[in-house]
Amino acid sequence: MHAASPEPRPDPACASPAFPAPGVAVVTISRTVRLYRPPGPPPGPRPLVLLLPWLGAEPRALAKYLALYLERGWPVLVAESRLAHFLWPRWGLAYAARVLALLAEGEALGGGPLLIHACSIGGYTFAQMMVQLEQRPERLAGLQGRIRGLIYDSLVAGSLADMARGVARMAGSVALRPLIRRGVLLYFRLFRRCTVVHFEAALEVFHRPPLRCPVLVFHCHNDPLSDAGTVQALLGAWRAAGIHAQVQEWPVSHHAGHLRLHPQDYARAVATFLRRLDLEPHRPWAKL
């Protein structure tokens, strides 16, 4: 993926039957990055949504998240994370830098306001993007000012043991998870300077984010990959810094499965949040 490339061409092979909305144009930018455009000519400047999904998100599940924005006439840029971006954070930082450069310089994406919607490991990818924003503020100042709101769904938050448990859950069968978890913890210890130091920097940037825009958080109290106490501590830190934080929580739900299990609550929370951001939604073009 290149930072400033000519207008990419739609890839007909990406118009998967799993995506239910007719007329949506899918533009392939790289193996992990695609742009979804609603049908019809652009009615002027409009928000762009950066959707950072969970690891291995299936097209049918991803379509539900796309629908939240495409029905408003907003294009959605999907940047998928890889497990390697997490296990070897230097690759994750490089990937985050490429996504930021694409947002900042890609002419095809325009220069309008940005909304970030990150799910599970996608929240870690966005943390890496915030690290880049802190390290290179002069180059990315314009982009930083365009980000109007952040939505975090099922943040992988907690201890290294929680992270190892999350990797095991994402990477292996139920029978192999204990072995994978122990192996990942050993890997963290052996390569601490290449892994743990970067994880700590990513967690720290959540506690003192360079962005002060409003935040919407989705979480539940029975998620072993997203410690509810850690999420509450983050919310407290943001509010103490003057950041507006809206929360939608459930006693029982599923990691990165809240929209599937609680579709009305989820859609209502997103709509309320978008109204607060004063991003005028365009007239819905279809019911997805």
Side-chain angles (χ1 to χ4, degrees), residues 47-52 68-69 72 74-77 103 112-118 126 146-151 213-214 216 270 273-274 277 279:
L48 172 69
V49 180
L50 173 62
L51 178 60
L52 302 166
L68 293 170
Y69 305 108
R72 290 177 163 83
W74 299 359
V76 182
L77 182 70
L103 291 172
L114 289 168
L115 174 71
I116 312 298
H117 192 142
F126 186 64
R146 287 169 52 201
I147 300 176
R148 299 280 294 277
L150 309 172
I151 300 178
C213 52
L216 168 60
V270 169
F273 185 67
L274 296 183
L277 299 182
L279 298 174

Side-chain angles (χ1 to χ4, degrees), residues 16-53:
S16 169
F19 188 71
V24 172
V26 186
V27 180
T28 299
I29 298 174
S30 78
R31 292 181 63 185
T32 57
V33 180
R34 291 184 177 88
L35 176 66
Y36 292 79
R37 287 176 171 157
R46 52 185 174 178
L48 172 69
V49 180
L50 173 62
L51 178 60
L52 302 166

Side-chain angles (χ1 to χ4, degrees), residues 7 12 16 77 87 90 93 110 134 145 158 172 179 224 243 275 287:
E7 175 83 9
S16 169
L77 182 70
L87 290 177
R90 291 180 182 177
L93 279 169
E134 281 197 325
L179 179 62
I243 297 172
R275 284 195 295 269
K287 290 294 183 182

Side-chain angles (χ1 to χ4, degrees), residues 122-259:
Y124 172 76
T125 298
F126 186 64
Q128 299 286 58
M129 293 171 68
M130 286 195 289
V131 169
Q132 296 280 356
L133 286 171
E134 281 197 325
Q135 293 176 349
R136 306 165 72 182
E138 68 292 336
R139 181 177 177 184
L140 301 171
L143 176 61
Q144 189 167 343
R146 287 169 52 201
I147 300 176
R148 299 280 294 277
L150 309 172
I151 300 178
Y152 296 131
D153 181 333
S154 303
L155 281 176
V156 179
S159 65
L160 285 178
D162 294 325
M163 293 183 184
R165 189 181 301 111
V167 171
R169 182 169 177 174
M170 292 184 289
S173 66
V174 174
L176 292 176
R177 285 176 187 173
L179 179 62
I180 294 174
R181 180 179 59 82
R182 290 192 294 270
V184 170
L185 284 173
L186 176 61
Y187 168 77
F188 287 162
R189 286 195 293 269
L190 292 175
F191 296 95
R192 178 178 178 83
R193 294 183 62 184
C194 299
T195 58
V196 177
V197 170
H198 291 282
F199 297 151
E200 291 172 347
L203 290 174
E204 180 64 20
V205 82
F206 269 121
H207 284 279
R208 46 173 187 79
L211 303 171
R212 290 293 183 266
C213 52
V215 179
L216 168 60
V217 174
F218 292 100
H219 79 109
C220 63
H221 292 263
N222 67 318
D223 187 347
L225 308 183
S226 182
D227 180 69
T230 302
V231 172
Q232 292 297 330
L234 282 173
L235 290 167
W238 294 337
R239 287 166 174 160
I243 297 172
H244 171 79
Q246 176 185 332
V247 182
Q248 175 64 61
E249 59 186 321
W250 297 273
V252 177
S253 188
H254 192 276
H255 184 80
H258 306 315
L259 178 55

